Amino acid sequence: AQSVTQLDSQVPVFEEAPVELRCNYSSSVSVYLFWYVQYPNQGLQLLLKYLSGSTLVKGINGFEAEFNKSQTSFHLRKPSVHISDTAEYFCAVTLTSYGKLTFGQGTILTVHP
Amino acid sequence: EADIYQTPRYLVIGTGKKITLECSQTMGHDKMYWYQQDPGMELHLIHYSYGVNSTEKGDLSSESTVSRIRTEHFPLTLESARPSHTSQYLCASSESGGGRNEQYFGPGTRLTVT
């Protein structure tokens, strides 16, 4: 079975600073990896996904993530954050065959002016 | 923009009541899912369906039940609500074709059982 660990439960940053949200996964087979964002009182919205190919994946709102198979990581980055990026971010993994997502515990990103 | 809807958005109900949380999608997706999310915690899959008349229990044990009579509709029912059922419930759907297809989420139903 696969599992996902988000290493930081909360990340406070100042506006226009860079940010990295860390995600590690464990699985004995190949997986697909996703980052979702959840704004207050809303559902989840897909930021980006890694299926295969280039290990650097670009998503919406200026976010990108890098898949590192040797370190089993899929960290999310943004070079310059905005106040509107304040939200909770979830890393998720699914096995290639099925589609059931396993989520990490979430990281609350708070951007201060 | 994903077309997946959940009603009600918020529900406060007394112990012992029967409730049904509605979820509908207009994308023609075969796969649908229900997740339970407690504050500050990850999402846990409680039910999923791969098509009409197909339902399975998820990774987290739940006293709720689901049905899938129509492709677009995947309601969740609690026969007798208890305070331990207080949580947020998120519905999602995805296309067929394995795990490579993203899941689209509804806005969620926040349930409070008093």
Side-chain angles (χ1 to χ4, degrees), chain A residues 1-4 23-34 49-53 67-69 72-74 91-102, chain B residues 99-100:
Chain A
Q2 69 270 28
S3 67
V4 179
C23 173
N24 285 95
Y25 71 94
S26 65
S27 174
S28 58
V29 298
S30 296
V31 296
Y32 297 137
L33 294 154
F34 303 80
K49 60 183 177 182
Y50 172 78
L51 304 179
S52 63
F67 171 60
N68 188 318
K69 188 174 182 179
T72 61
S73 68
F74 190 55
C91 181
V93 61
T94 183
L95 299 180
T96 54
S97 302
Y98 295 103
K100 290 190 292 179
L101 286 172
T102 297
Chain B
R100 63 185 301 114

Coordinates of all heavy atoms in Angstrom, one line a residue, chain A residues 1-4 23-34 49-53 67-69 72-74 91-102, chain B residues 99-100:
Chain A
A1 N 0.8 -1.2 0.0 CA 0.0 0.0 0.0 C 0.9 1.2 0.0 O 2.0 1.3 0.5 CB -0.9 0.0 1.2
Q2 N 0.3 2.3 -0.6 CA 1.1 3.5 -0.7 C 0.8 4.4 0.5 O -0.3 4.3 1.1 CB 0.8 4.3 -2.0 CG -0.6 4.8 -2.1 CD -1.5 3.9 -2.7 OE1 -1.4 2.7 -2.6 NE2 -2.5 4.4 -3.4
S3 N 1.7 5.4 0.8 CA 1.4 6.4 1.8 C 2.1 7.7 1.4 O 3.0 7.7 0.6 CB 1.9 5.9 3.2 OG 3.3 5.8 3.2
V4 N 1.6 8.8 2.0 CA 2.1 10.1 1.7 C 2.4 10.8 3.0 O 1.5 10.8 3.9 CB 1.1 10.9 0.9 CG1 1.6 12.3 0.5 CG2 0.8 10.1 -0.4
C23 N 6.8 17.0 0.2 CA 5.9 15.8 0.2 C 6.8 14.6 -0.1 O 7.6 14.6 -1.1 CB 4.9 15.9 -0.9 SG 3.9 14.4 -1.2
N24 N 6.7 13.5 0.7 CA 7.4 12.3 0.4 C 6.3 11.2 0.4 O 5.3 11.2 1.1 CB 8.4 12.0 1.5 CG 9.6 12.8 1.4 OD1 9.8 13.9 2.1 ND2 10.6 12.4 0.6
Y25 N 6.6 10.2 -0.4 CA 5.7 9.1 -0.6 C 6.4 7.8 -0.5 O 7.6 7.7 -0.6 CB 4.9 9.2 -1.9 CG 5.8 8.8 -3.1 CD1 5.9 7.6 -3.6 CD2 6.6 9.8 -3.7 CE1 6.7 7.2 -4.7 CE2 7.5 9.5 -4.7 CZ 7.5 8.2 -5.2 OH 8.4 7.9 -6.3
S26 N 5.6 6.7 -0.2 CA 6.2 5.4 -0.2 C 5.3 4.5 -1.0 O 4.1 4.5 -0.8 CB 6.4 4.9 1.2 OG 5.2 4.7 1.8
S27 N 5.9 3.7 -1.9 CA 5.1 2.7 -2.6 C 6.1 1.7 -3.2 O 7.2 2.1 -3.6 CB 4.3 3.4 -3.7 OG 3.7 2.5 -4.6
S28 N 5.6 0.5 -3.4 CA 6.5 -0.5 -3.9 C 6.3 -0.6 -5.5 O 7.0 -1.3 -6.1 CB 6.2 -1.9 -3.3 OG 4.8 -2.2 -3.5
V29 N 5.4 0.2 -6.0 CA 5.1 0.1 -7.4 C 5.1 1.6 -7.9 O 5.1 2.5 -7.2 CB 3.8 -0.6 -7.8 CG1 3.9 -2.0 -7.3 CG2 2.6 0.1 -7.1
S30 N 5.0 1.7 -9.3 CA 4.9 3.0 -9.8 C 3.7 3.7 -9.5 O 2.6 3.1 -9.3 CB 5.0 2.9 -11.4 OG 6.3 2.4 -11.8
V31 N 3.8 5.0 -9.3 CA 2.6 5.8 -8.9 C 2.5 7.1 -9.7 O 3.4 7.5 -10.5 CB 2.8 6.3 -7.4 CG1 2.8 5.1 -6.5 CG2 4.0 7.1 -7.2
Y32 N 1.3 7.7 -9.6 CA 1.0 9.0 -10.2 C 0.9 9.9 -9.0 O 0.4 9.5 -7.9 CB -0.3 9.0 -11.0 CG -0.3 8.2 -12.2 CD1 -1.4 7.4 -12.5 CD2 0.8 8.1 -13.1 CE1 -1.5 6.6 -13.6 CE2 0.7 7.3 -14.2 CZ -0.4 6.6 -14.5 OH -0.4 5.8 -15.6
L33 N 1.4 11.1 -9.1 CA 1.5 12.1 -8.0 C 0.7 13.4 -8.3 O 0.8 13.8 -9.5 CB 2.9 12.4 -7.7 CG 3.7 11.2 -7.1 CD1 5.2 11.4 -7.4 CD2 3.5 11.1 -5.6
F34 N 0.1 13.9 -7.4 CA -0.8 15.1 -7.5 C -0.6 16.1 -6.4 O -0.3 15.7 -5.3 CB -2.3 14.7 -7.5 CG -2.6 13.7 -8.6 CD1 -2.4 12.3 -8.4 CD2 -3.3 14.1 -9.8 CE1 -2.8 11.4 -9.3 CE2 -3.6 13.1 -10.7 CZ -3.4 11.8 -10.5
K49 N 0.1 17.6 -11.8 CA 0.2 16.2 -11.6 C 1.4 15.7 -12.4 O 1.8 16.3 -13.4 CB -1.1 15.5 -12.1 CG -1.4 15.7 -13.6 CD -2.7 15.0 -14.0 CE -3.1 15.3 -15.5 NZ -4.4 14.7 -15.8
Y50 N 2.0 14.6 -11.8 CA 3.1 13.9 -12.5 C 2.6 12.5 -12.9 O 2.2 11.7 -12.0 CB 4.3 13.8 -11.6 CG 5.3 12.9 -12.2 CD1 6.2 13.4 -13.2 CD2 5.5 11.6 -11.9 CE1 7.1 12.6 -13.8 CE2 6.4 10.7 -12.5 CZ 7.2 11.3 -13.5 OH 8.1 10.5 -14.1
L51 N 2.6 12.2 -14.2 CA 2.2 10.9 -14.7 C 3.5 10.2 -15.2 O 3.6 9.0 -14.9 CB 1.2 11.1 -15.8 CG -0.1 11.9 -15.4 CD1 -1.0 12.0 -16.6 CD2 -0.8 11.3 -14.2
S52 N 4.3 10.8 -16.0 CA 5.5 10.2 -16.5 C 6.2 11.3 -17.3 O 5.8 12.5 -17.4 CB 5.2 9.1 -17.5 OG 4.5 9.6 -18.6
G53 N 7.4 11.0 -17.8 CA 8.2 12.0 -18.6 C 9.0 12.9 -17.7 O 9.6 12.5 -16.7
F67 N 9.5 15.8 -9.4 CA 9.5 14.4 -9.0 C 10.9 13.8 -8.8 O 11.7 13.9 -9.8 CB 8.7 13.5 -10.0 CG 8.8 12.1 -9.8 CD1 8.3 11.5 -8.7 CD2 9.3 11.2 -10.8 CE1 8.4 10.1 -8.5 CE2 9.4 9.9 -10.6 CZ 8.9 9.3 -9.5
N68 N 11.2 13.3 -7.7 CA 12.5 12.7 -7.4 C 12.3 11.2 -7.0 O 12.0 11.0 -5.9 CB 13.3 13.5 -6.4 CG 14.7 13.1 -6.2 OD1 15.0 11.9 -6.3 ND2 15.6 14.0 -6.1
K69 N 12.6 10.3 -7.9 CA 12.3 8.9 -7.7 C 13.2 8.4 -6.6 O 12.8 7.6 -5.8 CB 12.4 8.1 -9.0 CG 11.9 6.7 -8.8 CD 11.9 6.0 -10.2 CE 11.4 4.6 -10.0 NZ 11.3 3.8 -11.3
T72 N 12.1 9.6 -3.4 CA 10.6 9.4 -3.3 C 9.9 10.7 -2.8 O 9.2 10.7 -1.8 CB 10.2 8.2 -2.4 OG1 10.7 8.4 -1.1 CG2 10.7 6.9 -3.0
S73 N 10.2 11.8 -3.5 CA 9.7 13.1 -3.1 C 9.0 13.7 -4.3 O 9.3 13.4 -5.4 CB 10.8 14.0 -2.6 OG 11.7 14.3 -3.6
F74 N 8.1 14.7 -3.9 CA 7.4 15.4 -4.9 C 7.1 16.8 -4.3 O 6.0 17.1 -4.0 CB 6.1 14.7 -5.3 CG 5.4 15.3 -6.5 CD1 6.1 15.4 -7.7 CD2 4.1 15.6 -6.5 CE1 5.4 16.0 -8.9 CE2 3.4 16.1 -7.6 CZ 4.1 16.3 -8.8
C91 N -0.8 16.9 -1.0 CA -0.1 16.0 -1.9 C -0.9 14.7 -1.9 O -1.4 14.2 -0.9 CB 1.3 15.8 -1.4 SG 2.3 14.8 -2.4
A92 N -1.0 14.0 -3.0 CA -1.7 12.8 -3.2 C -1.0 11.8 -4.1 O -0.3 12.3 -5.1 CB -3.1 13.0 -3.6
V93 N -1.2 10.5 -3.9 CA -0.6 9.5 -4.8 C -1.7 8.5 -5.1 O -2.6 8.2 -4.4 CB 0.6 8.9 -4.1 CG1 0.1 8.2 -2.8 CG2 1.3 7.9 -5.0
T94 N -1.5 7.9 -6.3 CA -2.4 6.8 -6.7 C -1.6 5.8 -7.5 O -0.6 6.2 -8.2 CB -3.6 7.3 -7.5 OG1 -4.4 6.2 -7.8 CG2 -3.1 7.9 -8.8
L95 N -1.9 4.6 -7.3 CA -1.3 3.5 -8.1 C -1.7 3.7 -9.6 O -2.8 4.2 -9.9 CB -1.7 2.2 -7.6 CG -1.3 1.9 -6.1 CD1 -1.7 0.5 -5.7 CD2 0.2 2.0 -5.9
T96 N -0.9 3.2 -10.4 CA -1.1 3.4 -11.9 C -2.4 2.7 -12.4 O -3.0 3.2 -13.3 CB 0.0 2.9 -12.7 OG1 0.3 1.5 -12.3 CG2 1.3 3.7 -12.4
S97 N -2.9 1.7 -11.7 CA -4.0 0.9 -12.2 C -5.4 1.3 -11.8 O -6.3 1.0 -12.5 CB -3.8 -0.5 -11.9 OG -2.5 -1.0 -12.4
Y98 N -5.5 2.0 -10.6 CA -6.8 2.0 -10.0 C -7.4 3.4 -10.0 O -8.5 3.6 -10.3 CB -6.7 1.4 -8.6 CG -6.4 -0.1 -8.7 CD1 -5.2 -0.5 -8.4 CD2 -7.4 -1.0 -9.1 CE1 -4.9 -1.9 -8.4 CE2 -7.1 -2.3 -9.1 CZ -5.9 -2.8 -8.8 OH -5.6 -4.1 -8.9
G99 N -6.7 4.4 -9.4 CA -7.3 5.7 -9.3 C -7.7 6.2 -7.9 O -8.1 7.3 -7.8
K100 N -7.7 5.3 -7.0 CA -8.0 5.7 -5.6 C -6.8 6.6 -5.1 O -5.7 6.1 -5.1 CB -8.2 4.5 -4.7 CG -9.5 3.8 -5.0 CD -9.8 2.8 -3.9 CE -8.8 1.6 -3.9 NZ -9.2 0.7 -2.9
L101 N -7.1 7.7 -4.6 CA -6.1 8.6 -4.1 C -5.8 8.4 -2.6 O -6.7 8.2 -1.9 CB -6.5 10.1 -4.3 CG -6.4 10.7 -5.7 CD1 -7.1 12.1 -5.7 CD2 -5.0 10.7 -6.2
T102 N -4.5 8.5 -2.3 CA -4.1 8.5 -0.9 C -3.5 9.9 -0.6 O -2.6 10.3 -1.3 CB -3.1 7.4 -0.6 OG1 -3.6 6.1 -0.8 CG2 -2.6 7.5 0.9
Chain B
G99 N -5.3 5.4 -12.9 CA -5.1 6.5 -12.0 C -4.6 7.8 -12.6 O -4.4 8.8 -11.9
R100 N -4.3 7.8 -13.9 CA -3.7 9.0 -14.5 C -4.7 10.1 -14.6 O -4.3 11.3 -14.8 CB -3.1 8.7 -15.8 CG -4.1 8.2 -16.9 CD -3.4 7.8 -18.2 NE -2.7 8.9 -18.8 CZ -1.3 8.9 -18.9 NH1 -0.7 7.8 -18.4 NH2 -0.7 9.9 -19.4

